[in-house]
Amino acid sequence: MIVSSFVAALLLLPSLPAGPASGPRPVEPVPPPAAVRVDPVLLHRPGTQVRLPPGVKAPPRLSARSWLIADAVTGDVLAAHDAHRRLPPASTLKTLFALATLPGLPPDRQHTVSEHELRGIGDGSSLVGVREEVTYRVADLWRGVFLSSGNDAVRVLAGLNGGWAATVRKMQATARALGAHDTRVVSPDGYDAPGQVSSAYDLAVFGRAGLRNPDFAHYAATPYAQFPAGRWSFGIRNTNRLLTGADGVRRYPGLLGIKNGYTSNAGHTLIAAARKGSRTLVVSVMNPRRGGAYAVYEETRDLLDWGFAAAPHARPVGSLLPPRAALPVRAAAAPPAPSAPPAPRSVPPTAAVSVATLPVPADGDGPPPLLPLTFVGAAFLAAAALWRVRRRTER
């Protein structure tokens, strides 16, 4: 009798799945597996971090105190050296200024500059030539920021954004939202200030985020422009030599620009991005100690050349994605399952366990989890009860 009931119960269970492999896993979309599997602590270790198979050339030996190269699409970090070392960023911090303030300032908005807006600019600052009593479009001022690294243009834009202190707070909040926790903002234009620091990791985060903003990407890739001066205008040139090929620095093919910087305290710094075929890389280089004023461009060139060659083979050593976006698959919330009909009272509560709640291997390569025995037992009891009711009805 028990055997026949068991057989009948099995015959009445054609829709019971044999295991989770029989259907799609109801797991919320997550970042690429590489961004999930890599321990973020790896990038906090000193020295160069890279994972390459045998036969693949190692990254170039650079004189920069800190550097990083990553895939701009996936956020995978291909290699880095002292990625979280906190150093003064110079004008590369203007990328964070743009990320924080660009969305709230329409490019066609016009503004007439007053004298008080140009006060407080640090001695020796780079200037684009903003003049009082001249009316500028916001887009003109942004070209002054990106091409000429104009601290005068930053002052005016910060004023339109609510003031210097409010801009500092907004930049700090933006950095935190992006997962850039090494950055402390004191002066939005990147001018040397006590306690103002960033890192190669954070600068690469800002560069990657900027490429996803069409206005930012447009300004960052502009080599030349006209800057208004009242009834006339004058030409300005981007100070990123890899973009313009100025001062004997060869242009880099496929360069998307972004931002360079220099102060006596920070040395030379640079965030650059380039596209080759279907791949886009972002690089940050901080304070080369050899090679002169243009070493930052040549070391960036060497990193980009290495990155395009090694990217198909390198295993990531970290991710530029914010921590909350890089949660392991097993920690991701599954979409709500459709409500099931009430279970018979004789079925124990554990029978309600759904396959959707079972852990899934983080890398997606492991064997599918076994169906819980409680689930099978509950299904058997329910089928047996149904078989008994049907048998009574047939009598």
Side-chain angles (χ1 to χ4, degrees), residues 63-84:
S63 70
R65 293 185 181 275
S66 179
W67 55 262
L68 183 146
I69 181 167
D71 187 302
V73 176
T74 65
D76 291 342
V77 178
L78 306 180
H81 179 83
D82 289 354
H84 287 283

Side-chain angles (χ1 to χ4, degrees), residues 75-388:
D76 291 342
V77 178
L78 306 180
H81 179 83
D82 289 354
H84 287 283
R85 183 174 183 176
R86 296 182 178 184
L87 297 167
S91 286
T92 51
L93 193 65
K94 289 182 172 75
T95 57
L96 178 59
F97 171 70
L99 290 172
T101 60
L102 257 173
L105 297 174
D108 289 331
R109 176 179 173 180
Q110 295 190 346
H111 175 71
T112 302
V113 176
S114 60
E115 180 183 0
H116 74 85
E117 291 179 273
L118 299 177
R119 294 173 183 168
I121 300 174
D123 294 337
S125 288
S126 54
L127 306 173
V128 65
V130 175
R131 295 167 52 190
E132 60 186 79
E133 304 304 326
V134 174
T135 300
Y136 299 91
R137 293 187 308 149
V138 164
D140 295 324
L141 296 170
W142 278 120
R143 280 186 280 270
V145 171
F146 276 90
L147 277 68
S148 297
S149 204
N151 288 4
D152 46 357
V154 172
R155 283 275 166 178
V156 176
L157 288 168
L160 295 176
N161 186 59
W164 203 245
T167 300
V168 168
R169 291 192 297 270
K170 194 166 186 178
M171 290 173 66
Q172 199 68 68
T174 301
R176 296 295 178 267
L178 291 170
H181 297 288
D182 300 322
T183 299
R184 182 178 176 225
V185 181
V186 179
S187 182
D189 53 12
Y191 190 81
D192 283 339
Q196 180 155 277
V197 291
S198 191
S199 68
Y201 179 88
D202 286 11
L203 295 184
V205 168
F206 303 153
R208 177 179 183 268
L211 291 176
R212 303 163 77 88
N213 181 309
D215 290 333
F216 182 113
H218 171 72
Y219 295 130
T222 301
Y224 305 97
Q226 290 294 121
F227 194 78
R231 297 182 179 180
W232 60 289
S233 64
F234 56 91
I236 57 176
R237 181 178 66 188
N238 201 309
T239 54
N240 183 348
R241 277 80 171 178
L242 285 180
L243 184 65
T244 62
D247 301 317
V249 177
R250 289 181 294 115
R251 295 179 60 186
Y252 193 87
L255 195 81
L256 304 177
I258 298 191
K259 190 73 188 75
N260 60 311
Y262 171 78
T263 66
S264 56
N265 186 36
H268 291 275
T269 58
L270 178 65
I271 310 170
R275 181 180 295 123
K276 186 176 182 180
S278 60
R279 191 177 300 278
T280 302
L281 299 180
V282 61
V283 169
S284 56
V285 175
M286 303 187 75
N287 196 4
R289 289 161 289 174
R290 295 189 302 272
Y294 304 138
V296 69
Y297 301 108
E298 300 308 328
E299 295 196 1
T300 296
R301 181 194 309 279
D302 292 343
L303 268 182
L304 286 169
D305 287 344
W306 174 84
F308 283 118
H313 315 287
R315 296 181 62 191
V317 293
S319 173
L320 298 181
L321 302 180
R324 65 177 180 274
L327 291 174
V329 177
R330 63 179 71 246
S339 57
R345 291 184 180 179
S346 59
V347 178
T350 53
V353 175
S354 167
V355 177
T357 64
L358 297 177
V360 178
D363 56 7
D365 295 331
L370 298 176
L371 197 64
L373 294 178
T374 52
F375 188 98
V376 175
F380 168 75
L381 292 176
L386 181 61
W387 179 77
R388 288 181 181 177

